[in-house]
């Protein structure tokens, strides 16, 4: 069953899709911080909106909505409120209920899990598309089939997952994966995820690599609701924005 009508009906426009065989010429913007919502066990849309507003105010321009405990109606309503804050920098993770419908209705990008069928999704999804990856080979595969970005993790030990014992990649391997993907396709973006710091963000930005940040931007308030850390966000924005790609 086709989930969506033909390409560009929802207003992404032809420029939203960067084909694998597109000319390897791209004007690269200043690097940005890609924030993730805190993936709360008991997500509160009002608190998430307040926190996201703080992030937008200090200069965060990309946000991934990843709250699988919200229902489809809540996801759509929250995305509608977030969109004016981030414009074309708002994305929905496929783990959200009704993710594809919300992203299609609002002309947002869609982020895929590492275990999803990226090629099949690229064939049917008309808008911006990215995925979570964990190796150089996966980054290259994402670039080859026409995705626009990849989160590559873990850069270091994630603050949001203190029990995560996976081997970390480190900056050198992140840089190697990014350079290989850019050699294959200049319009592809890599964001290092997991344990990023402002200092790491600055070093990676100098190589054209962004950072995706979750634990470093959010804390838990006295009422148990998530709160955005404005000072931490500002530090990441300064670090990543100090370099052009």
């Amino acid at each position: 069953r086709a989930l969506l009508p033909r390409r560009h009906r929802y207003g992404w426009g032809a420029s939203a899709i960067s084909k694998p065989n597109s000319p390897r010429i791209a004007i690269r913007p200043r690097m940005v911080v890609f924030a993730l919502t805190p993936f709360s066990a008991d997500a509160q849309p009002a608190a998430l909106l307040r926190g996201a507003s703080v992030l937008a105010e200090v200069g965060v321009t990309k946000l991934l909505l990843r709250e699988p405990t919200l229902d489809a109606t809540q996801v759509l309503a929250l995305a509608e409120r977030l969109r004016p804050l981030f414009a074309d920098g708002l994305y929905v993770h496929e783990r959200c209920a009704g993710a594809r419908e919300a992203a299609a209705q609002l002309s947002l990008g869609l982020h895929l899990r590492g275990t999803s069928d990226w090629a099949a999704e690229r064939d049917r999804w008309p808008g911006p598309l990215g995925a979570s990856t964990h190796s150089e080979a996966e980054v290259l595969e994402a670039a080859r089939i026409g995705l626009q970005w990849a989160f590559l993790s873990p850069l270091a030990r994630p603050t949001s997952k203190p029990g995560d014992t996976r081997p970390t990649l480190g900056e050198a391997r992140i840089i190697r994966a990014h350079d290989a993907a850019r050699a294959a396709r200049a319009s592809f973006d890599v964001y290092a995820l997991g344990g990023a710091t402002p200092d790491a963000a600055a070093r990676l930005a100098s190589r054209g690599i962004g950072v995706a940040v979750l634990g470093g931007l959010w804390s838990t308030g006295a009422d148990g609701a998530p709160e955005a850390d404005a000072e931490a966000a500002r530090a990441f924005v300064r670090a990543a924005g100090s370099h052009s790609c």
Side-chain angles (χ1 to χ4, degrees):
R1 179 171 63 88
L3 179 62
L4 297 172
R6 288 184 299 176
R7 297 184 190 278
H8 315 319
R9 177 171 176 178
Y10 289 98
W12 285 289
S15 63
I17 303 296
S18 180
K19 307 270 185 168
N21 59 352
S22 296
R24 296 181 185 178
I25 299 174
I27 297 174
R28 308 306 303 167
R30 293 169 70 87
M31 207 62 240
V32 298
V33 176
F34 207 137
L36 286 73
T37 60
F39 199 167
S40 309
D42 182 23
Q44 302 175 34
L48 292 170
L49 180 61
R50 286 196 302 271
S53 298
V54 169
L55 298 180
E57 286 173 4
V58 300
V60 174
T61 58
K62 287 183 181 289
L63 179 74
L64 176 63
L65 176 57
R66 188 184 66 151
E67 298 297 331
T69 64
L70 298 179
D71 63 35
T73 300
Q74 291 173 310
V75 169
L76 177 58
L78 181 56
E80 286 176 330
R81 300 287 301 277
L82 291 171
R83 191 183 181 203
L85 298 175
F86 297 95
D88 61 357
L90 178 63
Y91 304 81
V92 183
H93 196 290
E94 69 166 337
R95 291 192 64 181
C96 291
R100 288 165 179 76
E101 291 79 4
Q105 184 171 329
L106 300 176
S107 300
L108 307 177
L110 182 69
H111 188 86
L112 304 176
R113 286 177 282 196
T115 55
S116 294
D117 187 337
W118 303 341
E121 200 71 57
R122 177 73 287 171
D123 285 343
R124 62 177 173 255
W125 181 253
L129 192 65
S132 296
T133 65
H134 304 286
S135 69
E136 179 179 341
E138 290 180 349
V139 170
L140 287 172
E141 176 66 6
R144 184 187 67 79
I145 64 178
L147 274 59
Q148 277 76 48
W149 71 90
F151 289 175
L152 179 54
S153 68
L155 165 64
R157 194 67 63 213
T159 58
S160 62
K161 298 179 181 179
D164 191 341
T165 59
R166 291 176 297 168
T168 58
L169 295 171
E171 292 177 28
R173 274 190 268 183
I174 298 280
I175 291 169
R176 186 167 65 241
H178 163 268
D179 291 350
R182 281 282 178 88
R185 196 160 138 256
S187 61
F188 191 80
D189 288 322
V190 173
Y191 296 88
L193 172 66
T197 63
D199 285 344
R203 290 190 295 271
L204 291 169
S206 72
R207 301 296 297 265
I209 304 167
V211 290
V213 189
L214 193 165
L217 297 179
W218 297 89
S219 60
T220 302
D223 60 354
E227 294 182 349
D229 186 330
E231 287 307 311
R234 191 174 286 112
F236 274 105
V237 169
R238 279 198 300 264
S242 64
H243 295 277
S244 296
C245 302

